[in-house]
Amino acid sequence: MTTTHAGREAAANNVDAVVIGAGFAGLYAVYRLREMGLAVRGFERGSGVGGTWYWNRYPGAGSDSESWVYSYTFSPELEQEWTWSSRFPPQSEILRYLEHVAERFDLKRSFEFNTAVNGATYDENSNRWMVKTDKGDTVHATYLVTAVGCLSAAAVPNIAGRDDFKGAWYHTGQWPHEGVDFSGKRVGVIGTGSSGIQAIPVIAKQAKHLTVFQRTPNFSVPARNRALTPEEVSNLKRNIKEIREFCRWSTIGQPYDFKNQNALDLDRETLRQQLEDNWQKGGFEWMFGAFPDMLYDQRANDIAADFVREKIRETVKDAKLADKLIPAGYPIATKRLPLDSGYFETFNRDNVTLVDLRETPIERIVENGVRTSDTTHELDIIVFATGFDALTGPLTRVGIRGRQGRKLEDKWADGPRTYLGVATEGFPNLFMITGPGSPSVLGNMPTSIEQHVDWVCGLITHLRKSGAVRAEPTTQAEEHWGQHVKELADQTLFPQADSWYLGANIPGKPRVFLPYIGGFGTYRKLCNEVADKGYEGFAIG
Ligand code: N01
């Protein structure tokens, strides 16, 4: 029997699962779902795979997780074949890795690129999702898997006069593929989060002059990036199974964890020495391989914060400038802690100026630069390193409608409500990879992603084996989970900072702590228990 063109079209438009996004999560979701024998179609806005690493091509962009754990674990062969160049790989290398994975496992054939999903509606009668794309396609699927990333909805602030600017402007999260030539240019960077802190030292070396517009001074810890020696590579490859297993059950999915000891139990000198030793090592371990009370107890946190303040003061030669760069008013690490490669040193350069927006706020953007309350800073290029509408933004902009046409953004108007961060009541068979209410951004993303995809695939297998067609969290399970996520966050110092974890960076966004802060290992255990109890908390039918 030959299949007609119309027949093939119909089959392609009626699939088991639609996956949105071709980053770390989408690629793995397609791999696993296909392995289970499901018909899958994927859609990706970009022209290629990579997600975060496709979009964030700004100078200095790279991973803050160690390369040997910032990768997939599902294929031991892949793990052995791929060799990372350095401790913290640059964006270009991570993108190359994801392209390699897509080729190696033949994943691209399941995706339509340059295609955004601009609506997905659940039909109760057919128990199918009707997914629409900006290319005019409509695809029907039983399962809708969102792999849209946590930090993919770029936030360009609505500063008056932005359209008057005659120069070029860019957001770090939507960087042009051809790159930006800063040579001979007067460049302004607005924002000093992780992206700004990575980009600023690199741009400063290229630009004629760099003006950094800082609203909130940020803590930062040195990355101490370096090339990996062949000996390290072979040791890592030999021990990779154990390293991965440790990450899976650790607090933030990294190859280290908090000590079984509090900072406040140590005498000052011992504590200082430990902080110094870890500072010399570089990386997140300084905070997240240290003392748990630094995130719970203000006194312990103050010790850590003062340690970094001293480091800034030692690094920045001009004492008045150092004062402006030194953070105060929020506990360290309660805004995502950046890793840097010479960030504070950059302010010792003659071609770099810091504008403290707390003293001289931006009034507007004008045709030749940025006007603050005291002067106009003349610029040829503005870089918005101003962050993202995190976790909820990438989901609510898709146009997802559940039972009775209810919009996801309406349901979440007062903050996201999910069960395990993976599903939401009223939206059957919608599975969110690293959605709000899951550990997601509080650690190593690939660890989180693989756990989520595997768990969702387990749930889908359960449905298929038991002859059920839908899973949807109960209202009660969702409420309990929301309370639990909030209670855990409230036990820490995190809610004290105006961070994107709380939606505080987006005007009008409800102040709700978005990720689950109980730790990757604990979360994994909870998810496994839910599965062992026949997916307790889900209405399955
Ligand atoms: O964004 P951010 P990001 N006027 O929201 C400022 C991940 N990431 O893109 O603090 C003036 O952290 C804002 O000021 P304030 C990582 O999870 C990972 O840097 O709100 N300034 C802040 O300084 C990270 O946390 C990696 O007062 C304005 C900055 O812009 C997340 O992405 C690398 C402003 C935004 O900081 C987001 O980081 C990079 C305005 N109107 C990023 N609006 C790696 O793993 C905002 N700001 C390596």
Side-chain angles (χ1 to χ4, degrees):
M1 194 180 81
T2 51
T3 313
T4 62
H5 177 69
R8 277 198 307 274
E9 284 277 288
N13 290 340
N14 278 292
V15 292
D16 297 310
V18 158
V19 173
I20 313 176
F24 258 105
L27 290 176
Y28 184 49
V30 163
Y31 171 81
R32 287 282 280 120
L33 291 165
R34 271 186 4 197
E35 197 185 42
M36 288 160 56
L38 268 64
V40 187
R41 279 187 76 180
F43 295 101
E44 165 57 54
R45 278 188 304 144
S47 63
V49 302
T52 288
W53 305 104
Y54 172 94
W55 297 102
N56 287 265
R57 296 170 188 243
Y58 60 85
S63 164
D64 280 349
S65 288
E66 270 84 355
S67 53
W68 53 94
V69 296
Y70 196 76
S71 46
Y72 293 113
T73 71
F74 68 87
S75 161
E77 295 80 21
L78 172 68
E79 250 171 357
Q80 293 302 320
E81 283 161 18
W82 184 266
T83 299
W84 294 103
S85 66
S86 53
R87 180 179 180 190
F88 298 112
Q91 170 271 335
S92 56
E93 193 174 341
I94 307 169
L95 186 57
R96 231 174 27 248
Y97 169 76
L98 291 169
E99 279 165 355
H100 169 74
V101 171
E103 292 293 337
R104 196 191 184 288
F105 297 99
D106 189 21
L107 301 174
K108 284 188 189 168
R109 71 176 159 86
S110 295
F111 280 98
E112 249 113 303
F113 294 96
N114 297 307
T115 307
V117 171
N118 59 7
T121 305
Y122 175 72
D123 174 36
E124 294 197 48
N125 295 323
S126 62
N127 185 45
R128 303 275 281 167
W129 282 93
M130 186 177 67
V131 179
K132 288 187 176 291
T133 74
D134 63 355
K135 291 277 169 65
D137 284 331
T138 302
V139 179
H140 299 267
T142 307
Y143 311 108
L144 178 63
V145 178
T146 59
V148 291
C150 300
L151 295 157
S152 53
V156 180
N158 199 8
I159 300 173
R162 200 178 65 202
D163 295 337
D164 298 342
F165 186 55
K166 292 275 191 286
W169 67 263
Y170 309 94
H171 186 282
T172 49
Q174 295 171 334
W175 205 256
H177 287 201
E178 63 279 15
V180 177
D181 183 5
F182 293 106
S183 48
K185 298 282 198 283
R186 299 161 303 174
V187 182
V189 173
I190 302 179
T192 54
S194 296
S195 303
I197 282 181
Q198 283 191 331
I200 284 164
V202 185
I203 297 176
K205 285 185 193 139
Q206 293 171 11
K208 181 173 163 201
H209 191 89
L210 172 64
T211 306
V212 176
F213 296 89
Q214 171 194 269
R215 190 164 68 181
T216 309
N218 215 339
F219 294 99
S220 182
V221 171
R224 305 206 193 283
N225 197 8
R226 57 180 172 75
L228 295 175
T229 64
E231 202 187 3
E232 276 177 298
V233 169
S234 71
N235 278 339
L236 286 163
K237 286 192 179 182
R238 203 169 33 252
N239 299 314
I240 198 68
K241 255 180 105 176
E242 293 74 33
I243 296 172
R244 300 298 205 162
E245 193 53 15
F246 184 92
C247 291
R248 287 191 186 104
W249 298 97
S250 70
T251 306
I252 66 162
Q254 299 284 9
Y256 43 79
D257 213 332
F258 289 102
K259 296 181 195 304
N260 280 327
Q261 189 177 33
N262 279 331
L264 294 179
D265 294 337
L266 295 176
D267 64 82
R268 276 287 170 125
E269 202 140 303
T270 313
L271 176 57
R272 220 206 122 77
Q273 192 54 51
Q274 295 216 12
L275 291 175
E276 181 62 35
D277 291 348
N278 270 351
W279 186 263
Q280 294 311 326
K281 273 197 215 167
F284 282 140
E285 194 175 345
W286 183 80
M287 189 78 199
F288 302 100
F291 309 98
D293 56 342
M294 295 195 321
L295 293 175
Y296 290 90
D297 188 318
Q298 188 63 58
R299 293 165 306 160
N301 187 281
D302 284 343
I303 295 169
D306 284 344
F307 181 92
V308 178
R309 291 186 184 112
E310 263 179 55
K311 293 288 183 193
I312 300 172
R313 207 173 283 292
E314 279 167 20
T315 307
V316 180
K317 290 186 186 138
D318 177 337
K320 281 201 181 126
L321 189 53
D323 280 342
K324 290 181 203 270
L325 286 162
I326 287 176
Y330 65 94
I332 184 169
T334 54
K335 279 161 104 77
R336 198 310 204 136
L337 190 63
L339 299 188
D340 73 271
S341 297
Y343 173 66
F344 291 109
E345 289 83 346
T346 299
F347 292 92
N348 293 329
R349 294 176 66 98
D350 292 337
N351 71 332
V352 176
T353 307
L354 179 75
V355 176
D356 183 346
L357 297 179
R358 294 166 310 175
E359 284 175 5
T360 54
I362 294 177
E363 281 186 346
R364 60 180 296 119
I365 293 175
V366 288
E367 62 175 35
N368 60 342
V370 171
R371 190 194 297 157
T372 51
S373 57
D374 58 338
T375 187
T376 295
H377 302 271
E378 293 196 6
L379 302 169
D380 304 307
I381 296 175
I382 300 175
V383 174
F384 289 96
T386 45
F388 303 88
D389 182 355
L391 284 128
T392 52
L395 287 161
T396 53
R397 72 175 172 177
V398 171
I400 299 174
R401 287 167 177 257
R403 287 183 190 285
Q404 282 119 35
R406 191 178 185 194
K407 293 180 180 169
L408 186 66
E409 56 270 40
D410 289 345
K411 177 177 175 184
W412 287 2
D414 297 326
R417 282 182 284 143
T418 72
Y419 180 43
L420 303 171
V422 81
T424 187
E425 174 274 327
F427 297 75
N429 292 352
L430 164 66
F431 301 123
M432 298 171 285
I433 306 306
T434 66
S438 78
S440 59
V441 290
L442 292 179
N444 188 32
M445 286 303 300
T447 313
S448 229
I449 285 166
E450 279 192 333
Q451 183 272 342
H452 249 201
V453 171
D454 289 342
W455 195 86
V456 166
C457 289
L459 172 53
I460 292 174
T461 304
H462 174 79
L463 293 179
R464 289 161 69 86
K465 274 194 184 151
S466 56
V469 290
R470 94 179 71 71
E472 176 186 353
T474 64
T475 313
Q476 200 191 24
E478 186 167 289
E479 273 172 14
H480 281 159
W481 186 251
Q483 278 161 15
H484 180 56
V485 170
K486 181 176 181 329
E487 276 163 18
L488 289 175
D490 287 346
Q491 288 164 21
T492 72
L493 300 169
F494 277 79
Q496 293 185 26
D498 287 334
S499 69
W500 58 257
Y501 295 140
L502 278 150
N505 62 326
I506 301 296
K509 192 165 172 175
R511 198 178 170 93
V512 172
F513 195 78
L514 298 166
Y516 169 86
I517 205 169
F520 278 33
T522 309
Y523 176 81
R524 181 182 294 273
K525 191 164 162 278
L526 284 172
C527 287
N528 290 352
E529 283 167 10
V530 167
D532 289 346
K533 291 180 192 158
Y535 295 91
E536 188 181 45
F538 280 89
I540 289 180

